[in-house]
């Protein structure tokens, strides 16, 4: 049984998922993917990842809704969620925090920043 | 060339009047018109519904309506048709009032000759058309502005996603996750990464600027503790500062009053100014951020000891896309928009931004923010050699319900020293002082408090001095003898105060 932390990446751009996988695996994480909100929600519930990286613009169910559904559920509330977006408006950030996102990153981001946030959240610090 | 006929609706119940007007219009040369006449408001409303009337001549006294009401009934239903009010000689005031409310013109019955009637109608129609065109132009501009911000937001969103992919792919290769690299390859990729980051910054700035210009930037103005904000900012700066072994020193006065501003704006402004200081300050240097109270404002300054700004460029630093010539390193180039954004934000928050710089020594960028109103009393310094007058003014100020702190001095020479310590928002200054001429106090006082942060209310004996006093910088005047109302109304205006109970009309 590997003790690597498991991260679920939910983004509708295949290239983006690929890049995140490469980056995260190079840093010792185990990665699973989902291409839309519905699959993302299902995998989150079935596989209980240690952390979820969630794009807010998703087909089927949008990222905000996925976050809200998970956070309002006792069973999954404690899984940290990092929200990704290509928008940078203040209202988006506030919405993100309001639905229970634990961190918020605007694309394009520096991978060091992303890794730092992931590490911090997995270590249990906010 | 055949002119289009003008349809005039005459709303008048007096047959003689109708005949006169009809006759006059017939005689007017080059004035093709159709006159339609009705005798009541009700009939007028029905006729106007046909949508073919170009102008209305309206008698205010009708069988089914009188006075102002006649006008408002028609104008509210048909605001786009020019109305010319027909009035009797003793009703001229009413007619003038209606012009201010929207009527295009008025005519006094029995006093209009042929030419006048035709001219008045033509001009009324012209002016009305101009009014409509302007309204449409404004709406069009608003629509365009909305479209522009929408476009900018969409475009930048579209740009960000592929940019994010490029950046990360380049980063992955640069970080050797896809295999080993030689030095040259590593160097090229490092440069590519830096440029990706510059593009990102540029997009962010363009978006910021577009939103500010569209007025869409939401400001949440509230009480802000600058000490906490600056301390937090200093902590956030540590990693950046460490990269060049720089320290950020905080110099904040004790008991600083709360600011009244939008936190996001201030953080944005600071990021901008400190970011610049970081770029232009050498390794191991110090950046000093200070915050002091300045009358009704808080002045925050960011000082660096970098290369400074050449004098001929100092006036343009806040313009968009102005870059300072940096021979050192291309990495120091910014987007050219940062300071323009900072300036817009400062001004939206009610302050001013400025720069002082000595080439070779460094620069100091500083901006002001208003203090939170209710927190601190406005300070007034009274300078008058007559003790009785000083007592009188003090008691007038006390009897108002303004939140004030008042000091006084009988000597002009003393005034400047007291003002230097007390830092008043307003000085009430008598022009004739025993020890010095009031002018000799006024000029240095205005010099001392730059950016007009201290207003001066002169107590003047004679009117001819007004022009001179204005030139020397006086903001307002009261003439002896003055009443409590005279004084308080001017104080209220100069200090921008709101008063719950004391509302005075301003008479000059």
């Amino acid at each position: 049984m590997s003790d690597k932390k498991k991260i679920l990446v939910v983004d509708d751009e295949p290239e983006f998922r690929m890049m995140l996988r490469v980056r995260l695996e190079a840093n010792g994480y185990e990665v699973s993917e989902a291409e839309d909100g519905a699959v993302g929600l299902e995998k989150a519930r079935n596989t209980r990842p240690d952390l979820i990286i969630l794009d807010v613009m998703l087909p089927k169910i949008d990222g905000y809704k996925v976050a809200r559904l998970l956070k309002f559920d006792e069973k999954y509330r404690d899984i940290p969620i990092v929200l990704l977006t290509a928008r940078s408006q203040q209202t988006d950030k506030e919405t993100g925090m309001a639905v229970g996102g634990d961190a918020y990153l605007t694309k394009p981001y520096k991978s060091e920043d992303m890794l730092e946030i992931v590490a911090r959240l997995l270590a249990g610090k906010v | 060339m055949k002119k289009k006929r003008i349809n005039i609706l005459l709303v008048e119940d007096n047959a003689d009047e109708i005949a006169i007007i009809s006759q006059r219009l017939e005689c007017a040369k080059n004035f093709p018109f159709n006159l339609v006449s009705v005798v009541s408001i009700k009939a007028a409303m029905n006729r106007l519904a046909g949508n073919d009337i170009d102008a209305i001549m309206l008698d205010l006294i009708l069988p089914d309506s009188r006075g102002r009401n006649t006008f408002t009934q028609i104008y509210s239903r048909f605001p786009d048709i020019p109305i010319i009010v027909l009035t009797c000689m003793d009703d001229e005031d009413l007619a003038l009032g209606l012009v201010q409310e929207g009527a295009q013109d008025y005519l006094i019955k029995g006093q209009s000759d042929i030419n006048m009637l035709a001219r008045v109608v033509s001009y009324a129609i012209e002016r009305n058309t101009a009014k409509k065109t302007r309204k449409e132009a404004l709406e069009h501009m608003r629509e365009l502005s909305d479209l522009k911000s929408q476009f900018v937001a969409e475009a930048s969103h579209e740009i960000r996603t592929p940019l994010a992919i490029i950046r990360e792919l380049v980063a992955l290769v640069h970080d050797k996750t896809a295999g080993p690299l030689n030095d040259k390859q590593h160097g090229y990729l490092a440069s590519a990464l830096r440029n990706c980051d510059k593009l990102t910054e540029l997009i962010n700035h363009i978006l910021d600027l577009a939103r500010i210009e569209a007025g869409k930037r939401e400001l949440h103005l509230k009480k802000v503790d600058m000490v906490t904000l600056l301390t937090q900012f200093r902590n956030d700066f540590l990693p950046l500062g460490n990269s060049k072994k720089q320290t950020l020193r905080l110099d904040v006065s004790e008991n600083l009053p709360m600011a009244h501003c939008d936190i996001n704006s201030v953080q944005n402004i600071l990021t901008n100014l400190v970011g610049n200081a970081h770029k232009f300050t050498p390794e191991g240097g110090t950046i000093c951020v200070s915050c002091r109270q300045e009358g009704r404002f808080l002045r925050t300054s960011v000082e660096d000891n970098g290369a400074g700004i050449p004098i001929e460029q100092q006036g343009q630093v806040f313009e968009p896309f102005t870059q300072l010539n940096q021979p050192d390193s291309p990495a120091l180039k910014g987007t050219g928009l940062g300071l323009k954004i900072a300036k817009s934000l400062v001004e939206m928050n009610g302050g001013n931004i400025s720069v002082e710089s000595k080439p070779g020594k460094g620069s100091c960028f500083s901006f002001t923010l208003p203090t939170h109103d209710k927190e601190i009393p406005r300070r007034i310094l009274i300078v008058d050699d007559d003790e009785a007058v000083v007592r009188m003014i003090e008691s007038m100020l006390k009897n108002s319900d303004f939140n004030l702190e008042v000091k006084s001095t009988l000597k002009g020479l003393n005034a400047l020293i007291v003002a230097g310590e007390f830092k008043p928002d307003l000085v009430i200054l008598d022009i004739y002082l025993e020890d010095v001429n009031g002018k000799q106090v006024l000029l240095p006082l205005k010099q001392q408090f730059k950016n007009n942060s201290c207003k001066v209310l002169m107590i003047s004996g004679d009117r001819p001095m007004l022009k001179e006093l204005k030139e020397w910088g006086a903001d307002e005047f009261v003439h002896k003898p003055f009443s409590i109302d005279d004084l308080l109304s001017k104080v209220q205006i100069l200090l921008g105060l709101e008063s719950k109970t004391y509302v005075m009309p301003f008479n000059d």
Side-chain angles (χ1 to χ4, degrees):
Chain A
M1 179 72 197
S2 118
D3 57 350
K4 279 189 188 172
K5 297 285 189 182
K6 296 184 298 199
I7 301 184
L8 170 63
V9 170
V10 190
D11 194 307
D12 61 332
E13 295 259 2
E15 279 169 321
F16 221 89
R17 292 198 303 271
M18 180 273 285
M19 288 174 356
L20 271 169
R21 172 185 286 279
V22 172
R23 183 59 82 177
L24 290 168
E25 280 176 354
N27 279 272
Y29 299 112
E30 207 181 284
V31 178
S32 60
E33 298 176 30
E35 66 272 21
D36 63 54
V39 176
L41 199 55
E42 198 203 305
K43 282 201 175 173
R45 287 170 173 159
N46 292 344
T47 69
R48 281 210 108 254
D50 298 298
L51 181 139
I52 305 174
I53 297 181
L54 183 56
D55 188 288
V56 303
M57 294 288 159
L58 294 170
K60 305 265 177 74
I61 312 178
D62 75 73
Y64 291 124
K65 197 148 189 207
V66 172
R68 203 167 51 238
L69 287 170
L70 290 171
K71 286 300 181 183
F72 280 12
D73 190 334
E74 241 175 36
K75 292 201 285 280
Y76 312 106
R77 182 187 303 164
D78 56 335
I79 306 178
I81 296 180
V82 179
L83 291 167
L84 282 183
T85 181
R87 291 189 184 283
S88 65
Q89 274 159 275
Q90 184 61 13
T91 40
D92 296 313
K93 218 176 194 158
E94 284 167 353
T95 314
M97 291 314 157
V99 300
D102 297 279
Y104 200 85
L105 269 176
T106 308
K107 298 179 193 179
Y109 52 78
K110 292 194 184 158
S111 31
E112 313 86 88
D113 293 340
M114 187 272 291
L115 290 169
E116 201 230 311
I117 290 177
V118 166
R120 228 186 329 124
L121 288 174
L122 285 173
K125 302 175 200 139
V126 168
Chain B
M1 187 180 81
K2 187 126 185 268
K3 278 194 196 156
K4 181 177 164 281
R5 292 198 84 86
I6 299 171
N7 294 331
I8 304 177
L9 178 67
L10 173 59
V11 189
E12 170 68 73
D13 61 333
N14 182 319
D16 291 333
E17 287 293 332
I18 297 177
I20 295 174
I21 291 180
S22 176
Q23 203 178 46
R24 294 240 168 91
L25 286 174
E26 299 256 355
C27 294
K29 294 198 185 124
N30 299 323
F31 194 55
F33 69 91
N34 286 330
L35 187 66
V36 177
S37 82
V38 294
V39 301
S40 69
I41 276 261
K42 187 155 175 250
M45 296 292 214
N46 286 337
R47 186 64 183 79
L48 285 166
N51 255 333
D52 59 347
I53 299 292
D54 299 302
I56 305 169
M57 293 177 75
L58 181 64
D59 180 24
L60 294 178
I61 302 182
L62 298 166
D64 55 352
S65 176
R66 297 183 75 81
R68 189 172 163 271
N69 195 26
T70 313
F71 170 76
T72 46
Q73 276 189 69
I74 305 247
Y75 189 60
S76 51
R77 273 284 300 281
F78 302 96
D80 288 337
I81 309 180
I83 300 177
I84 298 152
V85 169
L86 299 173
T87 181
C88 300
M89 213 158 62
D90 24 352
D91 253 340
E92 204 173 341
D93 282 343
L94 171 60
L96 257 172
L98 293 181
V99 167
Q100 289 181 355
E101 286 183 46
Q104 282 299 332
D105 210 337
Y106 69 92
L107 284 165
I108 302 177
K109 291 190 204 181
Q111 284 192 6
S112 334
D113 65 10
I114 300 167
N115 294 323
M116 193 166 176
L117 206 58
R119 264 201 349 255
V120 164
V121 176
S122 307
Y123 284 161
I125 296 176
E126 293 270 338
R127 270 197 305 273
N128 197 61
T129 311
K131 187 175 105 180
K132 270 198 299 194
T133 310
R134 210 184 84 221
K135 205 171 91 175
E136 277 163 29
L138 273 171
E139 266 175 38
H140 185 61
M141 250 172 64
R142 228 169 273 137
E143 265 173 42
L144 278 180
S145 177
D146 281 346
L147 278 175
K148 181 175 111 173
S149 342
Q150 230 183 325
F151 172 72
V152 171
E154 301 268 346
S156 58
H157 170 59
E158 294 301 316
I159 291 175
R160 278 179 209 272
T161 305
L163 185 56
I165 294 178
I166 292 173
R167 201 220 183 261
E168 182 61 355
L169 288 174
V170 169
L172 283 171
V173 179
H174 169 272
D175 295 345
K176 300 178 185 167
T177 45
L181 294 173
N182 63 42
D183 284 341
K184 231 188 223 176
Q185 290 168 328
H186 194 253
Y188 288 178
L189 292 172
S191 179
L193 268 179
R194 277 196 300 274
N195 279 277
C196 281
D197 291 338
K198 274 200 214 147
L199 256 186
T200 306
E201 206 191 354
L202 186 57
I203 291 178
N204 285 337
H205 282 182
I206 290 176
L207 195 59
D208 269 345
L209 211 47
R211 272 184 294 179
I212 290 175
E213 280 178 11
K216 290 256 177 69
R217 177 110 190 188
E218 294 144 18
L219 283 190
H220 301 294
L221 297 173
K222 52 180 176 217
K223 240 193 210 177
V224 172
D225 180 356
M226 286 299 284
V227 179
T228 313
L229 194 150
L230 288 172
T231 311
Q232 178 70 47
F233 188 85
R234 193 224 352 230
N235 295 343
D236 293 342
F237 177 75
L238 283 173
L240 193 61
N242 286 338
S243 70
K244 268 174 95 172
K245 297 196 177 56
Q246 292 166 337
T247 27
L248 199 160
R249 207 184 80 218
L250 263 195
D251 181 10
V252 181
S253 320
E254 275 182 18
N255 304 324
L256 212 55
M258 299 278 192
H260 185 236
C261 59
D262 169 53
I263 291 189
N264 251 316
S265 299
V266 181
Q267 284 170 333
N268 207 317
I269 297 162
L270 283 170
T271 303
N272 223 293
L273 298 182
V274 175
N276 280 348
H278 163 71
K279 278 188 209 163
F280 295 113
T281 295
E283 289 258 339
T286 311
I287 301 168
C288 184
V289 176
S290 62
C291 189
R292 301 217 182 314
Q293 183 180 347
E294 207 179 75
R296 253 182 339 110
F297 292 90
L298 291 180
R299 179 173 289 280
T300 308
S301 307
V302 176
E303 198 169 338
D304 66 66
N305 52 357
I309 304 168
I311 299 192
E312 61 274 11
Q313 292 189 315
Q314 286 181 21
Q316 293 157 311
V317 281
F318 297 108
E319 295 302 306
F321 298 119
T322 301
Q323 298 268 22
L324 302 171
N325 298 320
Q326 272 302 330
D328 295 14
S329 148
L332 286 179
K333 268 189 82 176
T335 61
L337 292 177
L339 285 176
K340 166 92 172 98
I341 292 175
K343 179 168 187 260
S344 301
L345 287 175
V346 166
E347 288 170 4
M348 274 168 68
N349 277 271
N352 279 321
I353 192 169
S354 56
V355 62
E356 270 174 23
S357 181
K358 276 200 179 72
K361 286 258 170 85
S363 308
C364 179
F365 281 85
S366 74
F367 63 95
T368 54
L369 291 169
T371 49
H372 196 251
D373 240 300
K374 309 292 177 268
E375 273 263 327
I376 59 164
R378 299 297 183 247
R379 294 183 170 175
I380 301 184
L381 173 63
I382 307 170
V383 183
D384 197 316
D385 58 348
D386 185 337
E387 248 196 272
V389 173
V390 170
R391 296 269 168 277
M392 180 185 75
I393 297 179
E394 277 176 348
S395 106
M396 284 179 177
L397 293 175
K398 217 174 273 195
N399 289 334
S400 73
D401 66 350
F402 300 140
N403 186 11
L404 301 172
E405 212 181 295
V406 181
K407 269 199 161 88
S408 65
T409 174
L410 301 173
K411 298 266 190 233
L413 290 172
N414 208 18
L416 292 170
I417 302 172
V418 177
E421 283 173 21
F422 183 52
K423 295 214 175 41
D425 301 299
L426 172 66
V427 173
I428 301 178
L429 174 62
D430 191 329
I431 188 79
Y432 297 117
L433 295 168
E434 200 182 355
D435 57 340
V436 284
N437 191 325
K439 168 189 175 187
Q440 290 172 287
V441 178
L442 175 57
L443 285 170
L445 202 59
K446 276 294 177 176
Q447 259 294 349
Q448 197 176 358
F449 294 97
K450 303 218 185 112
N451 298 325
N452 213 21
S453 57
C454 175
K455 303 269 195 273
V456 176
L457 172 60
M458 305 278 323
I459 304 174
S460 165
D462 42 38
R463 283 181 190 266
M465 290 221 68
L466 283 190
K467 187 157 175 260
E468 269 184 301
L469 292 174
K470 270 208 168 107
E471 276 167 25
W472 296 331
D475 297 282
E476 264 297 347
F477 316 86
V478 276
H479 306 292
K480 279 185 183 150
F482 51 84
S483 70
I484 185 172
D485 292 341
D486 290 337
L487 182 74
L488 290 182
S489 65
K490 307 241 166 165
V491 168
Q492 184 180 6
I493 289 177
L494 286 172
L495 292 177
L497 296 172
E498 265 177 35
S499 168
K500 285 174 278 225
T501 58
Y502 193 89
V503 179
M504 267 302 292
F506 181 64
N507 292 316
D508 210 341

